[in-house]
């Protein structure tokens, strides 16, 4: 379960929050710096720059959010 996602735009609690922020701010890309889970595990291997469409695909893909 995701606890926080640190991006170049700030801290978010979920991928859905990031997609909403990107839509409101009209951002084409966002940089994920790390993802932290409730077990305090950090996933920096998922760090990188992602487009709005890539982030939207994450929340639209069933089961993806449970993997992290």
């Amino acid at each position: 379960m995701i606890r926080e996602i640190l991006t170049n735009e700030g801290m978010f609690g979920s991928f859905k929050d990031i997609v909403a922020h990107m839509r409101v701010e009209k951002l084409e890309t966002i940089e994920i710096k790390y993802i932290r889970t409730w077990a305090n595990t950090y996933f920096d291997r998922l760090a990188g720059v992602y487009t709005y469409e890539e982030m939207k695909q994450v929340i639209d893909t069933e089961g993806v959010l449970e993997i992290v």
Side-chain angles (χ1 to χ4, degrees), residues 2 4 9 12 16-17 19-21 23-24 27 31 33-35 39 43-44 46 53-54 56 60 65 68:
I2 295 173
E4 63 188 23
E9 290 286 313
F12 295 91
K16 288 181 181 182
D17 294 340
V19 169
H21 176 77
R23 186 180 59 249
V24 168
L27 300 175
E31 179 185 1
K33 299 185 183 221
Y34 70 77
I35 299 170
F43 290 92
D44 57 0
L46 299 174
E53 289 304 317
E54 288 171 329
K56 185 140 177 31
D60 289 344
L65 300 180
V68 178

Side-chain angles (χ1 to χ4, degrees), residues 1-6 33-46 67-68:
M1 197 67 149
I2 295 173
R3 184 173 183 178
E4 63 188 23
I5 303 168
L6 179 64
K33 299 185 183 221
Y34 70 77
I35 299 170
R36 190 171 113 186
T37 67
W38 281 102
N40 284 326
T41 304
Y42 289 85
F43 290 92
D44 57 0
R45 64 183 159 86
L46 299 174
I67 292 173
V68 178

